[in-house]
Amino acid sequence: MKDEMSTQRINKKEAKGNRNDDGKVGSKQLTLAEATPGKSMADANAESEMLAELKKLENTMEELKQRTEGLDKRLTEVENRVSAKEDSHIQHQKVLSYLLHREASLASKCDDMENRLRQNNIRLYGIPEGSEKDDMVKFVCHFFKTALEIREEIDINVERAHRALGPKPRSTTAPPRSIIVRFLDFQVKQVVLQQAWKQRQVEFQGHKVYFDQDYSSDLQKKRKKVREVIKKLKEKNIRAQSPYPAQLRIFTQSGARLFPSLLEAKSTLKELGIIQLVGKAKRKEG
């Protein structure tokens, strides 16, 4: 019993000592906190300011994120629009190319049809203005019979005849307008034209008269350029012809070569020393 009582006393003393020690430590800690109140307030203010800056930074980042997403969306829309425009442009180019090709094809067909409608016509160049007086048909029929060596049995039936539709020249020194003659019979027209070319020298009142086919304005320009090239070839003693509509046939030692156009004959003409003439035709008549 004595030993137990002694042990309890000792434990009570230790517990009392511990309470005294805890009280001392707590007293010391409170004293330190109370001793440095300014430092704790500064830390709190700094922490508050830091939190506020972080909040602002977060807001800024969120705003930048939203703006970036908006810009990405707009950029995507622009790219889609540009892509659509490019596709549309390519499609338009294809359509335009087709339409230009189609227009050229239709223009060529129309020109061919116009020249076929003119196949019964011839043109006379060099007859002075006013020579026909009031009756052009009667005048040309009499001219053919007197100026050309045509067989009497051939009946020259002229459907109509008139001057080219260009303005009448005011000066007497200006070249007269050509005369367009339309025959009822194509074969008669060919006889008249071939005979005029065969005679070479056909005159009316001292004026040399030239006979030619009646071509459309576009074809006349093309054939005029071909004739200028043929003239240059003849100067070099090179035989050449111009088959219908505006082709070029060149006769060389290696044989005859036919070119559908002057453009396709460009390299050959260059080898022959011919500078291709591309000037516009001076005579513009309808």
Side-chain angles (χ1 to χ4, degrees), residues 101-280:
H101 178 76
R102 184 65 175 168
E103 187 272 338
S105 176
L106 292 175
S108 177
K109 289 182 179 180
C110 288
D111 190 63
D112 180 65
M113 291 178 63
E114 181 181 353
N115 286 294
R116 290 180 184 276
L117 291 174
R118 293 170 179 252
Q119 65 182 355
N120 281 19
N121 300 358
I122 64 172
R123 283 192 182 236
L124 308 178
Y125 298 94
I127 297 179
E129 295 276 347
S131 301
E132 64 275 14
K133 297 182 180 179
D134 297 329
D135 194 339
M136 180 65 80
V137 173
K138 183 178 179 181
F139 167 77
V140 295
C141 288
H142 181 265
F143 172 69
F144 292 150
K145 291 178 180 179
T146 57
L148 301 177
E149 300 172 3
I150 299 177
R151 298 190 308 271
E152 294 182 0
E153 63 271 17
I154 295 178
D155 188 10
I156 302 177
N157 291 322
V158 174
E159 181 180 352
R160 61 179 179 268
H162 59 83
R163 291 278 181 179
L165 300 180
K168 184 177 181 179
R170 297 180 179 180
S171 174
T172 56
T173 57
R177 292 172 296 171
S178 63
I179 297 176
I180 302 172
V181 182
R182 181 172 181 82
F183 293 83
L184 288 172
D185 191 339
F186 174 77
Q187 296 300 329
V188 174
K189 169 248 183 177
Q190 287 294 94
V191 169
V192 171
L193 189 60
Q194 294 296 331
Q195 181 61 37
W197 288 347
K198 182 180 179 181
Q199 289 183 208
R200 293 180 180 271
Q201 297 291 333
V202 180
E203 294 184 355
F204 174 77
Q205 296 180 355
H207 299 276
K208 190 171 183 180
V209 180
Y210 299 91
F211 288 67
D212 199 1
Q213 301 277 8
D214 179 34
Y215 297 120
S216 65
S217 297
D218 290 341
L219 187 54
Q220 285 185 53
K221 294 175 183 178
K222 293 178 182 178
R223 290 185 63 84
K224 183 176 187 301
K225 294 177 183 178
V226 176
R227 288 198 302 269
E228 290 173 348
V229 172
I230 291 176
K231 183 179 178 180
K232 293 293 183 181
L233 289 169
K234 287 183 177 180
E235 291 176 358
K236 294 180 176 292
N237 296 321
I238 301 174
R239 184 184 169 204
Q241 296 175 344
S242 178
Y244 180 85
Q247 302 180 82
L248 176 64
R249 181 183 285 118
I250 301 176
F251 297 88
T252 60
Q253 295 179 353
S254 58
R257 297 186 62 184
L258 180 64
F259 302 94
S261 66
L262 289 180
L263 182 62
E264 297 185 34
K266 185 175 181 180
S267 59
T268 301
L269 292 174
K270 187 176 181 181
E271 292 175 0
L272 296 174
I274 303 297
I275 300 176
Q276 186 172 329
L277 302 175
V278 294
K280 295 183 179 180

Side-chain angles (χ1 to χ4, degrees), residues 42-59:
D43 291 341
N45 293 336
E47 184 177 357
S48 299
E49 292 178 358
M50 185 178 295
L51 291 174
E53 291 296 329
L54 287 173
K55 187 66 176 177
K56 290 181 180 179
L57 183 59
E58 289 178 357
N59 294 336

